[in-house]
Amino acid sequence: MFTGIIESLGTIRRVVPQGDGKMLQVGCDLDLSDTCIGDSIAVNGACLTAVHLEKHAFAVDMAPETVARTTFKTAAPGMRVNVERAMQLSSRVDGHLVSGHIDGTGVITRMEKKSNALIFTIAVDPHLAGQMIEKGSVAVDGISLTINRCTDKDFSVSIIPHTAKVTTIEFKQTGDWVNIETDMIGKYVRKFLTQTTAGGPEKESTDITMTLLAKNGFL
């Protein structure tokens, strides 16, 4: 589990194809002395398992499913990435709950300067847009952000100077693809409010009533 508060800007040093999967070696400025093989590390928001460790570098294996769902299809040496180790429940939990399981990708369609902020508009598939609400949370390349506005095809977020400085947002341009993870709690609520017919596909309820909320344990 992660928070979406990026700890380090890393750099991909090496990419090794493994069939439809890949192995990545990533360098970063974190002291990984207390990290163990088998620990989870989020790279651009994707939860990956450390299989080799150095003091300031680590290697991770990516299964074909991970490659297919993320921007790592085009991963190459020199690519900058956001790095976050798994959260510690003994400290403050900033950001929001991020599983590191990428739901899909989006493309940056617009970047606009507004006072001290950068406004990013990101186009996504409708099934992802349907899981977002204004002022809700979203992880973009693993960065915990608040949704300013959302439609059935895109959403916008504000990036403050500090976030731009300590993450890969600083290097992004219009047309770049990013990893998207929608809010975990929102996905569960959406699931619970979905009606399922026996043996058939899920059918989304068109009316949220007091009866429906009570039936699903929300009252």
Side-chain angles (χ1 to χ4, degrees), residues 74-96:
T74 57
M79 177 180 169
R80 304 304 302 274
V81 291
N82 297 316
V83 177
E84 182 191 354
R85 293 168 295 183
M87 73 162 67
Q88 291 181 309
L89 294 180
S90 59
S91 61
R92 291 185 180 89
V93 179
D94 297 310
H96 72 284

Side-chain angles (χ1 to χ4, degrees), residues 106-118:
V107 61
I108 298 170
T109 57
R110 187 177 182 186
M111 299 167 59
E112 176 187 5
K113 180 76 173 177
K114 188 173 183 180
S115 298
N116 68 333
L118 276 174

Side-chain angles (χ1 to χ4, degrees), residues 18-36:
Q18 297 178 330
D20 291 330
K22 292 182 180 181
M23 184 278 287
L24 296 185
Q25 184 184 53
V26 180
C28 64
D29 58 8
L30 292 175
D31 184 348
L32 300 174
S33 300
D34 62 348
T35 302
C36 301

Side-chain angles (χ1 to χ4, degrees), residues 20-192:
D20 291 330
K22 292 182 180 181
M23 184 278 287
L24 296 185
Q25 184 184 53
V26 180
C28 64
D29 58 8
L30 292 175
D31 184 348
L32 300 174
S33 300
D34 62 348
T35 302
C36 301
I37 290 176
D39 284 358
S40 295
I41 301 178
V43 181
N44 273 3
C47 178
L48 302 171
T49 300
V51 297
H52 176 77
L53 289 164
E54 301 173 20
K55 187 173 182 179
H56 295 292
F58 60 93
V60 290
D61 287 331
M62 292 190 299
E65 172 73 4
T66 302
V67 176
R69 278 185 174 265
T70 66
T71 57
F72 289 117
K73 291 186 288 290
T74 57
M79 177 180 169
R80 304 304 302 274
V81 291
N82 297 316
V83 177
E84 182 191 354
R85 293 168 295 183
M87 73 162 67
Q88 291 181 309
L89 294 180
S90 59
S91 61
R92 291 185 180 89
V93 179
D94 297 310
H96 72 284
L97 295 179
V98 178
S99 71
H101 303 150
I102 303 302
D103 294 304
T105 58
V107 61
I108 298 170
T109 57
R110 187 177 182 186
M111 299 167 59
E112 176 187 5
K113 180 76 173 177
K114 188 173 183 180
S115 298
N116 68 333
L118 276 174
I119 310 300
F120 277 60
T121 299
I122 302 173
V124 292
D125 286 341
H127 80 279
L128 290 181
Q131 298 172 20
M132 300 181 188
I133 60 170
E134 291 187 4
K135 307 310 175 189
S137 297
V138 66
V140 177
D141 271 355
I143 308 163
S144 175
L145 298 170
T146 299
I147 298 168
N148 288 351
R149 177 195 62 82
C150 56
T151 71
D152 60 357
K153 62 181 181 180
D154 61 18
F155 68 96
S156 64
V157 290
S158 292
I159 311 295
I160 61 173
H162 173 77
T163 302
K165 183 178 179 180
V166 300
T167 70
T168 56
I169 287 291
E170 183 178 19
F171 312 117
K172 296 300 182 184
Q173 298 178 357
T174 301
D176 285 351
W177 288 84
V178 290
N179 293 323
I180 302 292
E181 181 187 334
T182 57
D183 183 61
M184 180 191 306
I185 296 174
K187 283 184 283 193
Y188 277 114
V189 172
R190 184 183 177 94
K191 179 72 172 180
F192 293 151

Side-chain angles (χ1 to χ4, degrees), residues 200-217:
E202 293 177 350
K203 180 181 179 182
E204 191 173 332
S205 174
T206 55
D207 296 309
I208 297 177
T209 64
M210 298 298 288
T211 301
L212 179 63
L213 290 172
K215 179 181 178 181
N216 288 277

